[in-house]
Amino acid sequence: MQKTEFDWQSEEFGTAHQGRPGAVLADGTEPKSLIVDLGSGTHVHETSDWRVYDGHTLNAPQAASLRGVCSCGWRGTTLHPIDWAQVAAEGPDRYDTQGPHDDWKQHIADVEHRAVPIPVDVTALLGRLRERLEDLADDAPLAALRAVAALEHATAEAAETATYAARADDRPWDTIATALGTTESEARTRLHRYAHRY
């Protein structure tokens, strides 16, 4: 079973745009995922975490650099050389991966820029509602749960209406995905879920 480890999360875009530093070999290619046998029968673990490409672990090749990587398939173009002596001295978890992280954050900013904008008044309203619900959850948790249930019902109705309107225009899936800031697969899943909410 392959499990891709992601270090960075985008609150707005969820699993469609999770990021991590990705290993790059000296020839500019990405190394293949490594299989880790945990000794648990037929279950094996695959990893592509950059830390294992040190030239020693599991007979992996040694990565020469890092770049930003996103779950949507995006790969950063800037390569950040790895100082393996520094990795050994500091430990891989303390090694500075800010360069790839900054590149991924720019990718997220580009995704957000291409996505359909949320009206300013709606963004402000959502912010105030979130703050109020957080306060209510502390002060009156049962009232907060009732408010959340009412909100879920209202958003489900709006999502269903918006889904039918968006599909009635016969927009291509890549256009819908870009507008939502997600992948085509995620856009299809989301709209299918919204259309069949009840």
Side-chain angles (χ1 to χ4, degrees):
M1 177 173 63
Q2 182 164 1
K3 178 182 181 296
T4 304
E5 303 87 354
F6 289 102
D7 296 342
W8 313 315
Q9 305 292 323
S10 166
E11 183 176 322
E12 180 179 356
F13 300 118
T15 59
H17 292 288
Q18 298 177 93
R20 63 182 173 87
V24 181
L25 301 177
D27 64 2
T29 62
E30 282 188 23
K32 293 181 180 178
S33 296
L34 296 175
I35 297 175
V36 182
D37 186 355
L38 301 175
S40 56
T42 59
H43 298 290
V44 293
H45 175 75
E46 287 185 47
T47 183
S48 56
D49 189 303
W50 73 272
R51 297 165 186 87
V52 300
Y53 299 101
D54 58 5
H56 308 292
T57 304
L58 301 171
N59 295 318
Q62 187 177 65
S65 52
L66 297 173
R67 67 176 168 193
V69 169
C70 187
S71 59
C72 72
W74 171 88
R75 298 295 187 261
T77 56
T78 303
L79 298 181
H80 304 271
I82 300 174
D83 182 344
W84 284 107
Q86 187 177 356
V87 173
E90 296 180 352
D93 291 336
R94 297 178 65 86
Y95 187 71
D96 183 10
T97 58
Q98 190 62 46
H101 187 217
D102 289 344
D103 297 339
W104 175 78
K105 286 194 299 187
Q106 182 58 54
H107 163 64
I108 295 301
D110 294 342
V111 168
E112 187 172 335
H113 179 73
R114 289 190 306 269
V116 64
I118 300 173
V120 174
D121 64 319
V122 174
T123 299
L125 182 62
L126 289 172
R128 289 195 308 274
L129 181 59
R130 184 175 186 166
E131 289 176 7
R132 183 65 182 104
L133 285 173
E134 287 174 357
D135 290 341
L136 193 60
D138 288 335
D139 300 336
L142 295 178
L145 289 172
R146 284 197 65 203
V148 167
L151 185 60
E152 285 176 345
H153 184 74
T155 57
E157 288 181 347
E160 186 175 2
T161 301
T163 296
Y164 283 118
R167 294 304 297 140
D169 292 342
D170 288 326
R171 297 176 191 180
W173 281 108
D174 62 334
T175 301
I176 293 172
T178 299
L180 296 178
T182 191
T183 62
E184 285 189 44
S185 174
E186 173 63 25
R188 288 175 185 270
T189 299
R190 188 181 303 181
L191 267 64
H192 180 77
R193 184 175 69 243
Y194 289 162
H196 298 89
R197 200 66 182 250
Y198 295 108

